Amino acid sequence: MIQPASPDLVTVNIDGREVAVPKGTNMIEAARRTGVDVPYYCYHPKLTVVGNCRMCLVEMGTPAVDPATKSPVIDPTTGKQRINWSPKPTIACATTASPGLHIRTTSPMVKDCREGVMEFLLINHPLDCPICDQAGECKLQEQATGYGRGYSRFIEQKNVKPKRTVLGPRVMLDDERCILCSRCIRFSKEIAMDDVLGFTDRGSHSTLACYPGRRLENNYSLNTVDICPVGALTSTDFRFKMRVWFLKQTNSVDTESSVGANTVVWSREGTVYRITPRQNDGVNDTWMADSGRALYKEVRSPSRLDTVRVGGVESALDFAVKSAAEIFARGGVAVVGSGRSSVEEQFLTRKMADALGARAWLVSRLGEGDGILVSADRNPNVRGALVTGLVKALPSARLDSLGELIDSGTVTSVVSVGEDLAAAGLGAGRLAKVSVVYVGTHANATSAAARIVIPTLTVFEKNGTFINQQFRIQRFGRAVPGLAGATDDLVVLARLAEAAGGPRLGADVGSIWAQIAAEVPALGAMSYGTLPDTGLLIDAGPWAGLPFAEGASLHFRPASAAPKEAATRG
Ligand code: SF4
Ligand code: FES
């Protein structure tokens, strides 16, 4: 047996190949490291192990030891320590690596076990794959092909269980398809902290249900749909809308709070159909909130801005920029940036403010954090505004100081990058005193009052980065083409910065990053193209003393909580 390189590793033998794995690794994961696939249903790397599907059965052997002397028993034919193979199969998910442990994953016994388990799972399962929403990502279908017998011996009547059971506002259950893996039950209890699901009845009549008087309506309910290995749990929003193999997947980031959960946006021919979580063990594991999954609806919202307007009249972008230049030339300009803008947009907003010699404001958006994946800071990128130097302090929810400057006549025009100034405390009276240049995606009181309106793109229609609560910079990609009539924010901001008297700037992410790397010390060693899919932590030191709003969440502990936590542990 090879000696592991570190005391934290143990050497196990999988189908004759030795591999060193960290202590505590279960044999499904150990096999995965050697490229061996052990099929499973109930196991999930982020949930407790219950071992109730039996799909992961393997043969297991342990090194033989003389009970009297405790010394290894050597096999005279091989000259190696003899392996005592257990006469019965063992579940790999609940077997953790121990020194010298052997497993066989392809023996006739294992093949027989898998065929038996598949046969049991399928006897009451409906054969409705052609109309099932899970087609294309169904583990039962895949593993029936890979490990099943290939034919059914079941001639009895199948059980009839409830169909189209509404578990909650976003999740529908087809009980006939449920293979009783209990992943959804464990997720609700262990991650969502909402113990709402359980099994009723026994044997093949076991049925998943909500506890009496309860509904699956927590803000994480759709994760049960993601992890259901079959088509039993479906999303009421997505079901029957589109076959998954037609959909293009684009990596993105959840913008509903500063957590920055990693996501995949699924789209086809310019339409987004669903958003699901993307694994990032440092941020969101494999989960995301339901609220973040509905954000794609903003792309097709009836309130989308799709026409450049100057003085209420439909116009061209060139004319709008020229008109903005005339407003800028009069002086007295203030810039309101956004914690929803990307790092690149905030950088260009800062360049525009610098060229104007104007002060930049930001608007905070605070709510209650849920301690899981929605934080108190509902802006995804306040850290980006700090890092790019757009602002030096944390924002407040109201623009009262800007309002006073408007009242005093010091500020006579305001550029708003996507912020509704009216909602931030600048009432209609104040907005009437200034010329507003509004750069944004959706209509609001500010766009209605603006002298110049330039429609831009939603996060689903452009590329960029956000910096989350951990100071982790994360990339998002363009899933669908921009709305006709809207212009990329980077193009608009670069042109406005030039209209403000600044130099001509690149208006694509690549060239802006060349400038960011040269001018923003915290991002100096990076480039957009080489950022890992799971993001990169940057040095938060310069901003460590700021009183950020976030409390603890899944993988985040606020700096102010660290001493207390350390004391508790000590
Ligand atoms: S509904 Fe899906 S996740 Fe829940 S127990 Fe049944 S098969 Fe497992
Ligand atoms: S994955 Fe091991 S018993 Fe289900």
Side-chain angles (χ1 to χ4, degrees):
M1 184 170 69
I2 55 165
Q3 287 307 311
S6 141
D8 294 331
L9 297 176
V10 290
T11 300
V12 294
N13 186 301
I14 295 160
D15 294 334
R17 277 181 60 197
E18 292 197 332
V19 57
V21 296
K23 278 181 184 161
T25 305
N26 72 39
M27 295 311 287
I28 289 181
E29 298 299 340
R32 207 194 301 270
R33 283 168 182 250
T34 61
V36 171
D37 182 33
V38 175
Y40 59 85
Y41 293 112
C42 69
Y43 168 68
H44 188 286
K46 304 292 179 186
L47 300 175
T48 52
V49 172
V50 288
N52 59 350
C53 76
R54 320 309 285 182
M55 189 63 195
C56 65
L57 286 167
V58 292
E59 275 193 89
M60 186 185 81
T62 48
V65 175
D66 187 309
T69 63
K70 306 287 181 221
S71 53
V73 176
I74 304 299
D75 186 332
T77 53
T78 62
K80 292 181 180 171
Q81 190 170 7
R82 201 177 73 211
I83 301 300
N84 285 339
W85 289 97
S86 168
K88 290 184 178 175
T90 307
I91 50 172
C93 63
T95 304
T96 47
S98 60
L101 184 79
H102 281 53
I103 63 166
R104 291 181 185 139
T105 71
T106 55
S107 64
M109 183 208 271
V110 172
K111 184 171 179 294
D112 210 33
C113 287
R114 289 172 181 170
E115 288 180 358
V117 171
M118 282 307 307
E119 189 167 20
F120 267 122
L121 289 175
L122 288 169
I123 53 175
N124 281 307
H125 194 85
L127 294 177
D128 59 356
C129 301
I131 56 136
C132 177
D133 227 31
Q134 192 79 355
E137 47 190 8
C138 177
K139 289 284 163 215
L140 198 61
Q141 204 177 47
E142 287 167 17
Q143 293 181 11
T145 312
Y147 306 105
R149 204 180 295 275
Y151 59 90
S152 173
R153 297 179 293 176
F154 190 72
I155 53 169
E156 291 81 2
Q157 208 54 28
K158 283 180 186 268
N159 273 346
V160 176
K161 288 187 185 176
K163 293 187 85 72
R164 293 179 295 281
T165 304
V166 175
L167 289 187
R170 294 172 290 281
V171 181
M172 183 87 81
L173 167 67
D174 186 323
D175 256 316
E176 287 180 349
R177 296 179 187 155
C178 174
I179 59 165
L180 306 167
C181 75
S182 84
R183 278 179 167 192
C184 54
I185 297 174
R186 282 173 283 146
F187 170 82
S188 301
K189 190 172 175 180
E190 296 165 15
I191 309 293
M193 305 296 174
D194 183 20
D195 191 5
V196 59
L197 295 172
F199 292 133
T200 61
D201 295 326
R202 301 223 169 172
S204 55
H205 294 283
S206 289
T207 303
L208 179 74
C210 287
Y211 289 138
R214 299 287 315 279
R215 273 159 55 96
L216 178 61
E217 55 192 347
N218 65 63
N219 195 25
Y220 291 87
S221 67
L222 284 167
N223 291 279
T224 62
V225 175
D226 299 332
I227 59 175
C228 179
V230 299
L233 295 175
T234 51
S235 154
T236 45
D237 184 43
F238 178 67
R239 71 198 305 258
F240 304 132
K241 295 259 173 71
M242 184 57 67
R243 287 305 197 187
V244 292
W245 53 82
F246 290 133
L247 296 175
K248 179 184 78 165
Q249 298 176 45
T250 308
N251 286 355
S252 191
V253 173
D254 181 4
T255 55
E256 68 183 322
S257 83
S258 60
V259 169
N262 291 206
T263 62
V264 177
V265 179
W266 301 69
S267 62
R268 185 186 184 197
E269 292 175 1
T271 302
V272 179
Y273 283 88
R274 68 173 182 179
I275 301 176
T276 56
R278 174 164 54 91
Q279 182 166 1
N280 186 336
D281 292 340
V283 178
N284 56 300
D285 286 347
T286 54
W287 322 120
M288 73 176 290
D290 293 1
S291 38
R293 301 179 194 240
L295 296 180
Y296 75 87
K297 294 181 179 172
E298 71 184 35
V299 177
R300 292 280 172 97
S301 158
S303 65
R304 265 313 279 278
L305 294 170
D306 60 1
T307 311
V308 177
R309 291 190 183 275
V310 176
V313 177
E314 193 172 329
S315 175
L317 179 63
D318 285 347
F319 184 70
V321 171
K322 191 163 160 282
S323 304
E326 286 165 11
I327 291 173
F328 294 163
R330 296 202 290 265
V333 185
V335 172
V336 178
S338 177
R340 289 172 165 175
S341 295
S342 68
V343 167
E344 298 75 17
E345 290 157 14
Q346 290 168 339
F347 177 75
L348 290 184
T349 308
R350 195 203 92 193
K351 298 298 272 183
M352 174 172 62
D354 288 352
L356 289 164
R359 181 181 158 188
W361 275 262
L362 214 63
V363 179
S364 73
R365 209 169 263 105
L366 299 179
E368 206 174 315
D370 66 3
I372 308 175
L373 288 173
V374 178
S375 67
D377 185 352
R378 299 298 162 80
N379 276 326
N381 198 27
V382 167
R383 265 78 167 175
L386 293 166
V387 169
T388 53
L390 177 61
V391 293
K392 303 239 171 329
L394 290 178
S396 56
R398 292 177 58 85
L399 295 167
D400 291 337
S401 55
L402 176 56
E404 285 162 18
L405 293 174
I406 292 172
D407 290 342
S408 69
T410 312
V411 167
T412 54
S413 56
V414 181
V415 183
S416 170
V417 185
E419 287 295 352
D420 183 2
L421 305 177
L426 301 184
R430 277 172 170 161
L431 289 183
K433 290 182 192 169
V434 288
S435 299
V436 175
V437 178
Y438 185 73
V439 177
T441 54
H442 291 78
N444 53 33
T446 304
S447 66
R451 167 88 190 133
I452 299 172
V453 176
I454 305 179
T456 53
L457 305 179
T458 66
V459 69
F460 304 100
E461 300 163 314
K462 59 191 179 184
N463 298 308
T465 52
F466 293 126
I467 299 177
N468 82 348
Q469 58 182 351
Q470 306 162 315
F471 278 87
R472 181 188 295 266
I473 185 162
Q474 307 191 105
R475 233 176 6 191
F476 60 87
R478 188 173 88 139
V480 290
L483 183 76
T487 308
D488 193 321
D489 305 57
L490 298 179
V491 173
V492 174
L493 290 168
R495 294 204 57 186
L496 288 179
E498 193 181 349
R504 171 160 291 201
L505 298 164
D508 62 280
V509 175
S511 50
I512 291 169
W513 260 86
Q515 242 183 311
I516 287 177
E519 293 183 34
V520 179
L523 305 179
M526 302 172 193
S527 74
Y528 179 79
T530 57
L531 279 178
D533 284 342
T534 49
L536 214 54
L537 286 170
I538 64 174
D539 178 16
W543 303 278
L546 293 176
F548 292 107
E550 294 94 343
S553 56
L554 188 62
H555 285 293
F556 175 73
R557 296 288 171 274
S560 56
K564 201 164 131 216
E565 206 183 40
T568 313
R569 281 205 210 100

